[in-house]
Amino acid sequence: MTILQETPTPLRAIGEPRLLAGLQDGRADLQRHLQTHGPLPELTRESYSELATAVGLRGRGGAAFPVALKLADLPARGIEAVVVNGSESEPVSRKDRLLLTMAPHLVLDGATGLARALKAPLVIVAVHDAAAAASVRTALLERQDGVEVQVADTPGRFVAGEARAVLSVLEGGPSVPPGRKVLPTRKGYHRRPTFLSNVDTFAQLAVLARLGSHEFSSTGLISEPGTQLLTIDGSVERPGVVETPTGTPLEALLRFAGASQGPVLVGGYHGKWLPNDSSRPETSGGAGIILALGTDTCPLGEAHRVAQWLASQSAGQCGPCVFGLAALVDDFERLLAGDPAGWHDAQRHLGLVPGRGACAHPDGSARFLVSALEVFDDDVRQHLAGGCGRPVRGVLPVPGGKW
Amino acid sequence: MKKLEIDWTRCDGHGLCGTLLPDDVWLDEWGFPVLRGREITRGELASARRAVLACPALALRLAATVNRDSKGSERTVPTSHQ
Ligand code: SF4
Ligand code: SF4
């Protein structure tokens, strides 16, 4: 077990770190980057496809779409751009910002190497965090990539990180997803074929290109080998970003972070709750974000705070998302106050929200709230009988205003 | 095969589609359409087309059936694969 040194966002690893290698003493400039990882081999498009297929690499932004399929969907020529989506908009997740801030060269290697292989003339790094943007700009001064690299600032709202919303901003449009469902691989930047993925995916590609599929697969799951970056937060002694082999059991991760007993939220605010330790099914912590709730806060009150925030993040363009999430905030408020109609209305509204928006925000928000009502059904009963007696401590971080 | 589809960024809940296609669309408590989601049969195509043209917000569409990959993210089937 390697424990890396504390930095502003603490970073640690279970097992041998790959993406976080060489960051013990802070940000890796080009020299440190090359000392740690060596130079990036120049690979062809076919080699990238073969490697991505061999290790079953999936996009690390949440949708988990296979990289090999994305590559296969691109036309043979005329690829406009490679876009690094660094507008990590899940409020709890810090892995992408951390990579851009601490290991910008690894991310740039992945993006520019792939751009050259795809003969795409342009790489765009979309970020909404000032420190991350500054780190990438500084890194670019040290490099010569043979492709143009632009750094673009995007807004930090939850939905603004959605791939199509990012493309819209890059073209000077609003930071909201368009109404039509289009694939960036077909109509991306400038409505031209574009390879877009999140920061973590490009760092993985840079590691994969160097290691080759055999060595890359020496750790983690057989079906999806390698390592993953997770953000662990909430009621834990050691919050931060952890690099672990894929498939590491959730309980091991919680122990590693010093989590207290109690329910756990996996997958962030579009994710799902898991019940208290004893009744928890065995699962691996692959969903990017793990939040431990602890036992001394009111779970429904916490869910209500998150619901308020989720409602405030709806981009305001799709009726069922706007009205539905607002109604759900009100339902949870009444439920907390012991009104059974609040529970009934919530059940109805949770059926009216999913699948009825231009992006996955209503679906994810509903998933989070449905699982809260399921996992906290005892607390629901207590509230309907007068309250659970615990204060709402705000264990689940909710960004206040702009963040 | 065709299905009704709504561009949620445009629909402003006029509810006209619910009146014109009561078998395929009902309206939720805020007046926004809920699609039953079934295929539009050949016989219904004409009335579905009329409703699409009637939508004042140009939000209602008839689209070729969409498939979903295992993770649930939506992909429009490219014309060449249909
Ligand atoms: S579904 Fe909601 S969050 Fe997504 S674009 Fe529509 S209003 Fe915005
Ligand atoms: S007629 Fe058009 S704008 Fe009105 S509810 Fe139906 S889809 Fe929405």
Side-chain angles (χ1 to χ4, degrees):
Chain A
M1 202 172 281
T2 323
I3 309 273
L4 299 179
Q5 191 193 312
E6 298 266 327
T7 46
T9 295
L11 38 116
R12 303 181 183 82
I14 296 179
E16 202 54 46
R18 285 180 178 173
L19 307 189
L20 302 185
L23 303 180
Q24 299 88 326
D25 306 315
R27 180 178 178 279
D29 58 9
L30 186 61
Q31 196 189 353
R32 172 101 55 82
H33 166 70
L34 289 174
Q35 271 167 12
T36 309
H37 295 282
L40 179 78
E42 202 59 22
L43 301 183
T44 61
R45 174 173 178 168
E46 290 69 37
S47 312
Y48 274 109
S49 296
E50 280 163 22
L51 286 171
T53 309
V55 303
L57 186 64
R58 286 174 179 272
R60 303 295 176 102
F65 195 75
V67 171
L69 288 185
K70 210 179 255 188
L71 286 171
D73 204 41
L74 286 168
R77 56 179 69 82
I79 296 160
E80 185 83 0
V82 166
V83 176
V84 182
N85 185 2
S87 26
E88 185 168 66
S89 34
E90 166 70 61
V92 188
S93 182
R94 284 196 294 272
K95 69 187 172 79
D96 289 353
R97 267 169 281 180
L98 180 113
L99 279 174
L100 290 172
T101 312
M102 305 286 286
H105 288 287
L106 196 63
V107 179
L108 288 170
D109 276 0
T112 57
L114 185 66
R116 284 191 299 273
L118 294 173
K119 303 203 169 27
L122 176 65
V123 169
I124 305 176
V125 187
V127 278
H128 76 77
D129 178 80
S135 162
V136 175
R137 290 198 172 98
T138 310
L140 284 171
L141 296 177
E142 298 178 284
R143 306 168 56 95
Q144 228 127 53
D145 284 306
V147 287
E148 190 188 341
V149 184
Q150 293 175 1
V151 182
D153 301 290
T154 56
R157 239 189 21 255
F158 201 158
V159 174
E162 204 251 4
R164 292 166 307 142
V166 167
L167 286 169
S168 171
V169 179
L170 292 181
E171 295 176 17
S175 67
V176 290
R180 280 176 182 269
K181 299 197 163 74
V182 287
L183 289 175
T185 45
R186 301 295 173 101
K187 281 188 184 163
Y189 187 58
H190 289 162
R191 320 221 103 233
R192 308 260 303 141
T194 299
F195 183 95
L196 180 146
S197 198
N198 92 317
V199 170
D200 192 351
T201 317
F202 287 103
Q204 294 282 357
L205 274 176
V207 168
L208 176 59
R210 288 175 165 95
L211 295 182
S213 58
H214 189 71
E215 201 185 330
F216 189 90
S217 307
S218 62
T219 187
L221 292 169
I222 292 173
S223 56
E224 202 188 341
T227 64
Q228 61 188 357
L229 293 182
L230 302 170
T231 307
I232 306 188
D233 209 335
S235 185
V236 297
E237 284 162 29
R238 293 174 290 278
V241 173
V242 186
E243 182 170 5
T244 76
T246 53
T248 303
L250 179 64
E251 303 304 325
L253 293 165
L254 291 169
R255 261 198 312 279
F256 183 73
S260 33
Q261 304 274 308
V264 175
L265 176 66
V266 290
Y269 294 161
H270 279 173
K272 279 188 176 181
W273 285 100
L274 297 175
N276 221 330
D277 321 46
S278 51
S279 44
R280 204 144 55 208
E282 217 172 278
T283 151
S284 63
I289 300 162
I290 298 170
L291 282 164
L293 189 64
T295 48
D296 60 353
T297 185
C298 165
L300 291 172
E302 296 277 347
H304 173 242
R305 281 179 76 240
V306 174
Q308 279 177 319
W309 182 78
L310 289 168
S312 77
Q313 294 299 297
S314 124
Q317 38 171 16
C318 316
C321 174
V322 175
F323 290 102
L325 294 182
L328 280 161
V329 170
D330 179 62
D331 300 339
F332 268 69
E333 208 160 293
R334 284 180 294 142
L335 167 57
L336 282 169
D339 178 359
W343 185 86
H344 284 288
D345 288 345
Q347 296 295 336
R348 188 178 72 255
H349 290 144
L350 283 168
L352 284 177
V353 168
R356 297 179 73 217
C359 74
H361 184 60
D363 309 54
S365 303
R367 183 162 52 233
F368 170 84
L369 293 172
V370 165
S371 92
L373 289 182
E374 273 170 19
V375 169
F376 305 130
D377 57 343
D378 277 347
D379 304 84
V380 169
R381 256 174 259 127
Q382 286 176 26
H383 275 272
L384 294 181
C388 73
R390 283 167 295 180
V392 183
R393 295 193 187 277
V395 172
L396 300 184
V398 176
K402 205 176 138 38
W403 47 280
Chain B
M1 288 303 263
K2 299 259 181 184
K3 253 186 184 174
L4 284 173
E5 212 180 78
I6 289 167
D7 181 340
W8 290 109
T9 65
R10 291 174 177 238
C11 169
D12 43 18
H14 286 106
L16 201 58
C17 48
T19 318
L20 292 175
L21 295 170
D23 293 343
D24 295 289
V25 182
W26 56 279
L27 300 177
D28 67 17
E29 56 199 83
W30 308 291
F32 288 92
V34 182
L35 301 178
R36 299 212 195 273
R38 56 188 186 84
E39 307 267 1
I40 302 289
T41 61
R42 224 168 258 284
E44 296 166 325
L45 214 51
S47 54
R49 287 222 173 90
R50 258 197 305 281
V52 167
L53 291 174
C55 168
L58 305 179
L60 195 63
R61 280 194 296 257
L62 265 174
T65 313
V66 161
N67 72 343
R68 282 166 178 269
D69 68 35
S70 59
K71 294 278 174 175
S73 55
E74 280 195 310
R75 309 191 66 212
T76 311
V77 186
T79 348
S80 56
H81 301 186
Q82 275 167 18

